[in-house]
Amino acid sequence: MKIIFIVDQVYMHGGIERVLSIKANYLAEQPGYKIHIITTEQKDNASCYDFNSKISFEDLEVNYNRKKSYFHPANLLKLPKHIGRIKSYIKSINPDVIVVCSHSTDTYFMPFICKKVPKVKEFHFSKSIETGPRLHSKNILKKYFFKFADYVERKYDRLVVLNHNEAPYYKSNNTAVIPNPLTFYPETISDISNKVVISAGRIARVKGYDLLIDIWDLVQKKGTDWKLHIYGSGDEAYEKKLQKTINEKGLNDSLKLMGATSEVQKKMLNSSIYVMSSHNECFPLVLLEAQACGLPIVSYDCPHGPKSIIDNNTGVLVPLYDNETFANELIDLMNDHERLVAMGKNARENAANYEIPKVMNKWQNMFEDLTVKRV
């Protein structure tokens, strides 16, 4: 079976790129599968994740201006070249299924080219963010854009969403729920002995690290010798703002922005609690990784990912933006070692449900279903 995955690039660290590497590598080793990855702006950069040598790569060299909207005139002028090159490549491969991974211009025209080939669109963000604009926007263009997006989504053979709470946001009946696969499952787990709380991810406003700093300030005021380590890189302006807030609150001794790391598993194994303060999430892979390392989790109950992963046996879901409760829950866990250990063991067991073969079996079943219907 020949599968084409379409993504903008695979040289920048991110959840889409990481999950793609896992799925593509797994399928490349399965009998009868041939995997192709098409990028639009790889620009001769090396992949940031390891890909199996059996996978074929093709960069279309469209090179959109990432500092502008994909719908900016400067980028729209590149669209004909993009469509022409991708049609030519698809015809040369004659794939059985096409999967659109990233949410770029491909999303809006793929259902209308090479129509005989089944097409799947993945969604890696929570569509809850569209609720307000859809209901209350006075912008006519935006309203028509949402109608156009709904129309396009109905034209895909499948829309893959990451949890059941996301499916109702879509206007079509072609959704399939397939969670992200677990990236690692270490032989050992954290012994919950280090007084370290950890968070990791892209340094971006949606991750709510400014709120996490406020929460940690409350924790410190109630007295603790624990440390909070935040790993990641991203928005430099936002990171500077975060560091300024840390300085102003006098938290430098207990709260550290650690920068990016390629050893997140090691860092988790040397921690005892994982925290998440995001405004919204779809299916945060990092929570599964934390569970695989045996870490209890304290997280905002944001739309909609954490509630798909965390329950009362594995962590604590805090009402969104309730910083006082978040801080109190953290302190309670810090002072209850037996509860931490029990939650960590339960978290580890839950993570096993998302091991790669179990999740990829759902993808393979979907591919088989789509190709049978094609015949």
Side-chain angles (χ1 to χ4, degrees), residues 5-10 15-17 20 23 37-41 64 66 70 82 99-108 110 120-125 156:
F5 288 98
I6 297 175
V7 66
D8 55 350
Q9 49 72 39
V10 290
I16 293 174
E17 294 78 16
L20 172 59
K23 291 188 299 195
I37 295 178
I38 301 178
T39 56
T40 54
E41 46 206 89
Y64 289 106
R66 297 296 293 267
Y70 279 115
H82 185 172
V99 182
V100 180
C101 303
S102 54
H103 202 64
S104 56
T105 52
D106 312 274
T107 297
Y108 300 101
M110 280 309 303
V120 177
K121 174 72 184 85
E122 299 180 36
F123 286 90
H124 292 268
F125 65 91
Y156 278 95

Side-chain angles (χ1 to χ4, degrees), residues 265-318:
Q265 178 180 319
K266 178 181 178 181
K267 305 302 182 184
M268 287 180 173
L269 290 172
N270 289 324
S271 305
S272 296
I273 302 174
Y274 189 91
V275 288
M276 174 168 278
S277 54
S278 298
H279 295 277
N280 61 78
E281 291 280 351
C282 196
F283 192 89
L285 186 58
V286 69
L287 295 188
L288 284 182
E289 294 172 339
Q291 288 190 339
C293 292
L295 296 186
I297 298 167
V298 181
S299 171
Y300 279 143
D301 187 12
C302 65
H304 280 289
K307 71 178 65 176
S308 301
I309 299 171
I310 307 167
D311 62 22
N312 292 335
N313 296 314
T314 61
V316 181
L317 287 170
V318 178

Side-chain angles (χ1 to χ4, degrees), residues 184-313:
F184 53 70
Y185 198 74
E187 294 182 4
T188 60
I189 63 172
S190 169
D191 60 11
I192 315 293
S193 63
N194 292 325
K195 294 184 176 182
V196 176
V197 178
I198 185 174
S199 190
R202 180 168 47 96
I203 302 298
R205 295 180 189 277
V206 70
K207 300 300 182 181
Y209 291 125
D210 52 323
L211 300 172
L212 186 55
I213 292 171
D214 292 339
I215 291 165
W216 193 252
D217 187 37
L218 293 173
V219 171
Q220 287 298 303
K221 286 177 179 176
K222 296 186 179 183
T224 180
D225 57 350
W226 284 60
K227 309 292 185 183
L228 171 59
H229 293 166
I230 300 174
Y231 289 90
S233 61
D235 185 333
E236 293 182 5
Y238 181 55
E239 186 172 350
K240 288 180 180 178
K241 180 181 177 181
L242 296 179
Q243 187 60 60
K244 181 181 178 183
T245 303
I246 293 169
N247 296 341
E248 291 173 346
K249 291 180 179 292
L251 297 173
N252 302 77
D253 291 338
S254 66
L255 198 168
K256 302 290 185 182
L257 300 180
M258 307 296 286
T261 179
S262 59
E263 299 182 317
V264 67
Q265 178 180 319
K266 178 181 178 181
K267 305 302 182 184
M268 287 180 173
L269 290 172
N270 289 324
S271 305
S272 296
I273 302 174
Y274 189 91
V275 288
M276 174 168 278
S277 54
S278 298
H279 295 277
N280 61 78
E281 291 280 351
C282 196
F283 192 89
L285 186 58
V286 69
L287 295 188
L288 284 182
E289 294 172 339
Q291 288 190 339
C293 292
L295 296 186
I297 298 167
V298 181
S299 171
Y300 279 143
D301 187 12
C302 65
H304 280 289
K307 71 178 65 176
S308 301
I309 299 171
I310 307 167
D311 62 22
N312 292 335
N313 296 314

